[in-house]
């Protein structure tokens, strides 16, 4: 490094002519250094705060996401419970409808059987009445024949 270089000489001349300028220049350079240090520190602190803010924001987003997930899960669970209740209700309704159909079918069958029984019963009653009538007619005939025989045996007496 050339001690007698143009730069150093101009500084020397400057210092010898007006030492205060030199002092001011050095102070200015120190202030510049301090400012640069402050600026670096501020930049570093800004980066730190930005990083912290980002982390905090991410944490808040995660928390919100977790809360939203919890809400969605609870709503989904509620929907599933409602669906289950609805299915049970529909199943019961279907079973009741089927039961009513079966009851109607059985009632119809019972009515058919009852009608058949009633018609058979009335036929039987009719046959019994015919039989009774035939029986009565036969008995009357037997009585008439007996009366006839008696009249022939005892012509003057008739029936006793």
């Amino acid at each position: 490094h050339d001690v007698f270089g143009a730069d150093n000489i101009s500084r020397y001349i400057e210092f010898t002519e007006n030492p205060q300028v030199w002092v001011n220049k050095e102070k200015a350079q120190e202030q510049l250094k301090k400012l640069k240090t402050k600026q670096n520190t501020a930049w570093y602190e800004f980066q730190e705060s930005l990083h912290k803010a980002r982390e905090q924001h991410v944490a808040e987003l995660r928390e919100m996401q977790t809360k939203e997930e919890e809400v969605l899960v609870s709503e989904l669970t509620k929907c599933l419970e409602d669906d289950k209740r609805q299915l049970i209700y529909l199943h019961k309704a279907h079973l009741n409808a089927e039961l009513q159909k079966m009851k109607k079918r059985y009632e119809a069958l019972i009515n058919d059987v009852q009608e058949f029984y009633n018609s058979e019963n009335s036929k039987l009653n009719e046959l019994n009445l015919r039989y009774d009538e035939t029986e009565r007619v036969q008995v009357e005939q037997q009585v008439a024949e007996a009366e006839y025989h008696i009249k022939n045996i005892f012509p003057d007496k008739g029936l006793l």
Side-chain angles (χ1 to χ4, degrees), residues 4 30 47-49 88 92 115 122:
F4 297 106
E30 270 180 43
Q47 289 289 339
E48 268 301 299
S49 68
I88 290 170
K92 279 183 180 174
E115 283 174 16
S122 60

Coordinates of all heavy atoms in Angstrom, one line a residue, residues 4 30 47-49 88 92 115 122:
F4 N 2.3 7.2 0.2 CA 2.3 8.5 -0.5 C 1.4 8.6 -1.7 O 1.6 9.3 -2.6 CB 3.7 9.0 -0.8 CG 4.6 9.1 0.4 CD1 5.6 8.2 0.7 CD2 4.5 10.2 1.2 CE1 6.4 8.3 1.8 CE2 5.3 10.3 2.3 CZ 6.3 9.4 2.6
E30 N -17.7 7.0 11.4 CA -18.2 6.2 12.6 C -19.7 6.1 12.6 O -20.3 5.1 12.9 CB -17.6 6.8 13.9 CG -16.2 6.2 14.2 CD -15.7 6.8 15.5 OE1 -16.5 6.9 16.5 OE2 -14.5 7.1 15.6
Q47 N -36.5 -9.3 10.1 CA -36.5 -10.7 9.6 C -37.1 -11.6 10.7 O -37.9 -12.5 10.5 CB -35.2 -11.2 9.2 CG -34.7 -10.6 7.9 CD -35.4 -11.0 6.7 OE1 -36.0 -12.1 6.7 NE2 -35.4 -10.2 5.6
E48 N -36.5 -11.4 12.0 CA -37.0 -12.2 13.1 C -38.5 -12.1 13.3 O -39.2 -13.0 13.5 CB -36.3 -11.8 14.4 CG -35.0 -12.6 14.7 CD -35.2 -14.0 14.9 OE1 -35.9 -14.5 15.8 OE2 -34.5 -14.8 14.1
S49 N -38.9 -10.8 13.4 CA -40.4 -10.5 13.7 C -41.2 -11.1 12.5 O -42.3 -11.6 12.8 CB -40.6 -9.0 13.9 OG -40.4 -8.3 12.6
I88 N -83.8 -46.2 10.7 CA -84.6 -47.0 11.6 C -86.1 -46.7 11.4 O -86.9 -47.6 11.4 CB -84.1 -46.7 13.1 CG1 -82.7 -47.3 13.3 CG2 -85.1 -47.2 14.1 CD1 -82.1 -46.9 14.6
K92 N -88.9 -49.3 10.3 CA -90.1 -49.5 11.1 C -91.3 -49.3 10.2 O -92.3 -50.1 10.3 CB -90.1 -48.7 12.3 CG -89.2 -49.2 13.4 CD -89.4 -48.3 14.7 CE -88.5 -48.8 15.8 NZ -88.5 -47.8 16.9
E115 N -116.5 -67.8 5.2 CA -117.6 -67.9 4.2 C -117.8 -69.4 3.8 O -118.9 -69.9 3.7 CB -117.3 -67.0 3.0 CG -117.5 -65.6 3.3 CD -117.1 -64.7 2.1 OE1 -116.8 -65.2 1.0 OE2 -116.9 -63.5 2.3
S122 N -124.5 -74.1 6.1 CA -125.9 -74.0 5.6 C -126.3 -75.1 4.7 O -127.4 -75.6 4.8 CB -126.1 -72.6 4.9 OG -125.2 -72.6 3.7

